[in-house]
Amino acid sequence: ERIIYFSNNYSVIAEPEYPYEKNNKTQIVDIFLKISRKQEETDVACILIENKISKGASNKVQISKQYDYFIHSKEYQEDLIVYSLLLTTDNNIFSIMHDNGLKLNPKTVWVKWTNHKEIESSIEAILRKLILLEQRAEIQPINPNTQFILKSFIDYIVTEFSYRENGQKNFNFNGSEEIANAKIILENKTYILKRFENKMIRVFDEDDNVLNIPVKPLLRKIIQNNNLDVNIKRGTYFKKNTQVLGRETINALNKRTDN
């Protein structure tokens, strides 16, 4: 009901890498959202979204500084509600950014891509709910291409951002068929790499127990220690994601075994 009400009464404008100035100094927010009433054509709220992935990107004053700059910029209107949205991976290192943001702006919100402790409070959970609402015809139909993009993005989020603060992972492969595997002994330990129909890569022990370890660093070590013909980069600058690197590693190991 809230989705339908919002869609009927409000419009949203989104601008990436949005700059604004205070005293000739500039702050840039990753995504700037402006919400307006359709009937009156008046702005009612805006959202300053800052996205953080790497732990090293944590900046304890960035959220509060962005808010301070914005309310002193020419874009700000006194009757405009301003939300500061911090979007991060599931790591407590970003809590200081949220806490400092709250000191200046009580409407500072912290949302995680994936969330182990509060599973229903994450971008992953929101997107899954959206797909379910569409399937139950509770919201307007979603274009099939958009559905595919959303489902692929959910898969990507879980694969790339599921390593938790407490070391646990969200092994979301149930229901997906195994399509390839390879066995490797590394530093006197036996690992079994498995690739599933949904493209996810998981690591198991000899008893078929899934291992709670980061997958990508293990793949890199396997490639290096075994001199596999696998490049960890795509082109000159971009590193391959876990799915691609895992597929190529499994293929290289199996090719070596066959030969």
Side-chain angles (χ1 to χ4, degrees):
E1 291 176 356
R2 291 190 310 185
I3 293 174
I4 293 173
Y5 176 81
F6 185 88
S7 300
N8 290 338
N9 292 277
Y10 295 94
S11 61
V12 179
I13 295 175
E15 295 189 42
E17 298 294 326
Y18 187 80
Y20 45 86
E21 293 185 354
K22 170 192 171 184
N23 299 331
N24 295 322
K25 294 183 178 180
T26 302
Q27 275 287 306
I28 297 177
V29 66
D30 286 336
I31 301 175
F32 177 79
L33 300 182
K34 182 178 287 186
I35 303 171
S36 307
R37 288 193 182 93
K38 287 183 177 180
Q39 189 170 357
E40 295 92 346
E41 296 185 351
T42 55
D43 300 331
V44 295
C46 65
I47 306 175
L48 312 177
I49 302 177
E50 183 63 29
N51 179 36
K52 296 294 183 184
I53 302 299
S54 168
K55 292 187 294 184
S58 178
N59 183 332
K60 62 182 180 180
V61 299
Q62 188 171 9
I63 298 300
S64 53
K65 192 173 182 179
Q66 286 178 348
Y67 175 76
D68 178 58
Y69 269 58
F70 182 73
I71 62 175
H72 290 94
S73 68
K74 62 182 180 180
E75 289 89 346
Y76 176 67
Q77 306 166 34
E78 289 190 4
D79 57 347
L80 197 65
I81 300 172
V82 181
Y83 294 92
S84 296
L85 175 59
L86 175 62
L87 179 59
T88 76
T89 48
D90 190 7
N91 195 306
N92 284 335
I93 196 172
F94 299 109
S95 62
I96 186 66
M97 295 183 66
H98 179 233
D99 294 340
N100 286 334
L102 284 170
K103 292 176 183 177
L104 272 186
N105 181 13
K107 292 183 171 59
T108 298
V109 182
W110 184 16
V111 180
K112 301 176 182 179
W113 287 106
T114 59
N115 193 326
H116 177 71
K117 295 178 181 178
E118 300 175 29
I119 297 175
E120 296 303 313
S121 179
S122 66
I123 296 297
E124 174 198 353
I126 291 170
L127 293 178
R128 291 188 189 279
K129 289 177 183 177
L130 188 65
I131 296 296
L132 289 174
L133 287 171
E134 195 273 344
Q135 290 176 351
R136 295 197 296 260
E138 295 183 33
I139 61 174
Q140 294 180 350
I142 300 176
N143 180 281
N145 290 333
T146 304
Q147 284 188 40
F148 178 80
I149 291 172
L150 287 174
K151 292 176 181 178
S152 298
F153 189 48
I154 292 171
D155 179 79
Y156 174 81
I157 291 172
V158 173
T159 302
E160 293 297 313
F161 303 149
S162 60
Y163 187 69
R164 313 298 184 180
E165 185 73 10
N166 61 4
Q168 296 187 26
K169 272 186 163 284
N170 178 12
F171 296 106
N172 186 27
F173 54 82
N174 292 331
S176 292
E177 295 291 332
E178 178 185 330
I179 58 176
N181 68 73
K183 184 176 180 180
I184 183 69
I185 298 175
L186 182 67
E187 297 174 349
N188 297 320
K189 292 184 180 179
T190 300
Y191 299 98
I192 300 174
L193 307 177
K194 293 188 179 184
R195 181 170 176 253
F196 294 85
E197 195 174 29
N198 62 1
K199 299 182 181 179
M200 287 192 177
I201 306 296
R202 292 292 180 254
V203 183
F204 295 77
D205 63 18
E206 288 183 287
D207 297 320
D208 209 31
N209 296 313
V210 68
L211 299 177
N212 295 337
I213 59 176
V215 177
K216 187 178 282 186
L218 178 65
L219 293 174
R220 291 174 178 168
K221 186 175 288 188
I222 291 172
I223 293 168
Q224 181 179 2
N225 288 18
N226 291 272
N227 295 318
L228 297 180
D229 186 21
V230 176
N231 195 330
I232 64 172
K233 290 185 177 181
R234 174 171 54 84
T236 306
Y237 304 103
F238 301 102
K239 294 181 180 179
K240 294 174 181 175
N241 61 31
T242 304
Q243 298 99 316
V244 173
L245 197 63
R247 182 193 69 212
E248 294 182 357
T249 302
I250 290 173
N251 291 342
L253 288 172
N254 288 333
K255 183 178 180 181
R256 177 173 291 186
T257 303
D258 293 339
N259 293 339

